[in-house]
Amino acid sequence: MSSSDVPVRPRAATPSGGGADPDAEFAAELAGHLAAYGERPCIEFERRWYSGAEVIGCVRAISAELDRLGVARTDRVGIVVRNRVPHAAAVFACIVDGRSVTMINSYQSVTGIARDVAELRPAVVIADAREWEEPLCAACAEAGSAGIAVSAADLGAEAVVPRGDRETAGAAAGSGLYILTSGTTGPPKRVRIPLSALRHTVATMTAGRDPAPEDPPELVYWPFGSVGICQLLAGPFLAKRMVLFERFTVDEWVRAIKTYRVRTAGVQPTILRMVLQANVPRADLASLEYLPGGSGPLEPGLRAEFEARYGIPLLWAYGATEFGGSVCAWTLDTHRRYGAAKPDSVGRPLPGVEVRVVDPETGAAVGAGERGVLTARVAALGPEFVRTTDLASVDADGFVTIHGRADGAINRGGFKILPERVRAVLLGHSAIRDACVVGVPDSRLGQVPFAVVELRHGHPAPSEAELQDLVREALPSHHVPVAVDVVDALPRNAAMKPKVPEVVALYGERGERSP
């Protein structure tokens, strides 16, 4: 019997406080939805369709390898996650088995990945076969972590590093996904999103939709390492085929829409700018009925330009990793009734969500229309209000408007960058006395980081490429400044703090440049 002939076996639901375990119920539902594909197409990747049986075969192969290595259900599983079929199968396998998944960012250097493994010490690391180079193998051996290589070539799973004798990290708090946040209020942290919260988010994404298997596929391109994993999970829960992108490109996105007559697909501001700049013909997007969006603020001008050119309503939403997805969103109905009057809003709170805007100093709730810090309570996550770093207001009709971030983070196409983290890396160079990192406007990404560094007296100036490589080695790639100016002295105010507007002006003097 081949692995694809073995049924997906979710862990048994166990009573908890008189009721079924919601995490186990979610796992069972996912297993059932995956099994229902059978020999039908399930995922298209790089223009090849993989059947449900092939995907389930990969799920079972990974699950069997985890069992063979002696990885307990309570052990932590680290996945160097990429938007590829075997990585999707790895996530499915862990959810169905009731395992705890810790996402490891693949958008960083091999050294950075190895550093994460050394810090996390998971019981096992799952990574693409091509990533098992010496730094990652050595980090696993040192941490006592086993290593499993997965490959899109044969959808196989093979142990490449045996489990060591060293004690790895303790038992996880429970099944679910530990997702890396953007690090806008300090060093990135991993937030546990329980399966019950994922279930809530998937339910909000699929509510009111009753597709048939032959309907157009879902387009999946948001990174799995973030709440983009919900885009992947929505496909099976809608019993729909999925077109998987490793990275978003306009050409492939438009091809999929035209080929399959796609009716809706999630977007972010950068995608809208890229489509407009590519001058995609209106006819190529004629099948789209609306586009839900998020991952960053939508400027009214960008909304107006896109909707005018393509006639497609943009239904914006607001959410965060800590909430497991969106907490506020527009619907087609509210867009028709209020869209023209409230173009800056991110919609109303979703079912099961309560929002409150509070005074940043006292924590007291503010009145309708007044600005403060947004807090939200998601029933699936617990009874507490979670405080964000976003400034917001709620009008008398219950619509939420975001007015910017309270922490000064740079939003690079939906990826958040805390300037102080980049500055700290630059200050690690022996020739750098001080540095200032700012966000500068970019027509495609919204904002990009630009750095100006001040030299220590008597030190030769490092090259721009050298400083960019320094950041690239230490942080995920979206933190790398698009340009670095070397100056004798930073422009400063009377308090000796850098004058941000004057630093931004230095970028303008270099002329327009792309990231």
Side-chain angles (χ1 to χ4, degrees), residues 3-50:
S3 59
S4 61
D5 296 321
V6 180
V8 176
R9 297 189 181 93
R11 61 178 177 142
T14 55
S16 176
D21 179 352
D23 286 4
E25 287 185 345
F26 182 85
E29 290 175 26
L30 176 60
H33 288 308
L34 290 172
Y37 283 99
E39 297 296 336
R40 292 189 295 110
C42 179
I43 299 177
E44 183 198 74
F45 181 68
E46 295 184 342
R47 305 198 181 189
R48 177 199 159 182
W49 278 103
Y50 294 82

Side-chain angles (χ1 to χ4, degrees), residues 113-453:
I113 294 173
R115 189 165 51 236
D116 276 358
V117 170
E119 178 184 341
L120 294 167
R121 297 185 299 111
V124 62
V125 175
I126 301 174
D128 191 273
R130 288 173 287 185
E131 286 173 322
W132 285 104
E133 301 175 8
E134 193 279 333
L136 181 54
C137 292
C140 285
E142 178 65 24
S145 306
I148 296 177
V150 293
S151 170
D154 58 4
L155 294 188
E158 177 186 6
V160 291
V161 178
R163 192 165 184 181
D165 296 330
R166 288 176 178 267
E167 184 178 351
T168 54
S175 60
L177 305 183
Y178 287 77
I179 298 176
L180 190 66
T181 66
S182 57
T184 58
T185 58
K189 58 184 181 298
R190 287 177 173 83
V191 176
R192 177 178 175 250
I193 307 298
L195 297 189
S196 56
L198 288 177
R199 188 182 196 185
H200 163 80
T201 301
V202 170
T204 63
M205 295 171 68
T206 57
R209 300 171 66 185
D210 188 23
E214 64 273 13
D215 280 353
E218 293 285 289
L219 305 188
V220 180
Y221 39 79
W222 287 354
F224 292 169
S226 68
V227 291
I229 194 66
C230 295
Q231 202 179 39
L232 171 69
L233 293 172
F237 278 81
L238 287 167
K240 291 182 67 173
R241 298 168 293 161
M242 294 168 277
V243 177
L244 176 61
F245 300 66
E246 182 161 12
R247 283 186 172 87
F248 176 88
T249 67
V250 172
D251 288 346
E252 281 300 298
W253 189 72
V254 172
R255 178 197 69 84
I257 289 171
K258 290 176 63 178
T259 300
Y260 301 112
R261 306 299 297 165
V262 172
R263 299 184 192 128
T264 182
V267 294
Q268 56 171 265
T270 299
I271 290 175
L272 301 181
R273 295 187 188 98
M274 293 170 70
V275 171
L276 287 167
Q277 289 184 4
N279 201 25
V280 174
R282 181 170 177 144
D284 288 356
L285 306 183
S287 65
L288 291 171
E289 298 172 0
Y290 63 93
L291 291 173
S295 295
L298 177 63
E299 311 91 81
L302 178 58
R303 174 193 289 277
E305 182 181 2
F306 189 91
E307 292 186 343
R309 184 180 300 187
Y310 295 107
I312 302 169
L314 299 174
L315 307 184
W316 224 245
Y318 166 84
T321 303
E322 290 84 350
F323 301 124
S326 298
V327 294
C328 306
W330 286 90
T331 66
L332 273 176
D333 179 60
T334 55
H335 184 272
R336 293 189 190 102
R337 295 174 60 191
Y338 300 100
K342 305 176 189 291
D344 297 339
S345 174
V346 291
R348 283 171 167 160
L350 293 166
V353 176
E354 183 181 354
V355 301
R356 182 183 296 165
V357 176
V358 302
D359 183 278
E361 300 297 330
T362 67
V366 303
E370 295 183 25
R371 297 189 182 191
V373 174
L374 183 70
T375 67
R377 177 167 61 192
V378 180
L381 289 174
E384 302 297 325
F385 276 88
V386 176
R387 182 170 177 143
T388 73
T389 56
D390 292 304
L391 301 173
S393 61
V394 181
D395 68 17
D397 296 317
F399 283 86
V400 178
T401 299
I402 306 298
H403 299 287
R405 300 189 65 86
D407 59 9
I410 300 166
N411 188 329
R412 184 177 191 166
F415 289 93
K416 310 304 190 302
I417 304 163
L418 195 64
E420 285 301 314
R421 293 193 68 216
V422 182
R423 178 175 179 268
V425 173
L426 293 170
L427 291 177
H429 193 287
S430 59
I432 304 305
R433 179 178 184 272
D434 203 355
C436 182
V437 180
V438 297
V440 294
D442 181 83
S443 60
R444 183 168 67 91
L445 297 172
Q447 283 185 306
V448 290
F450 166 61
V452 177
V453 299

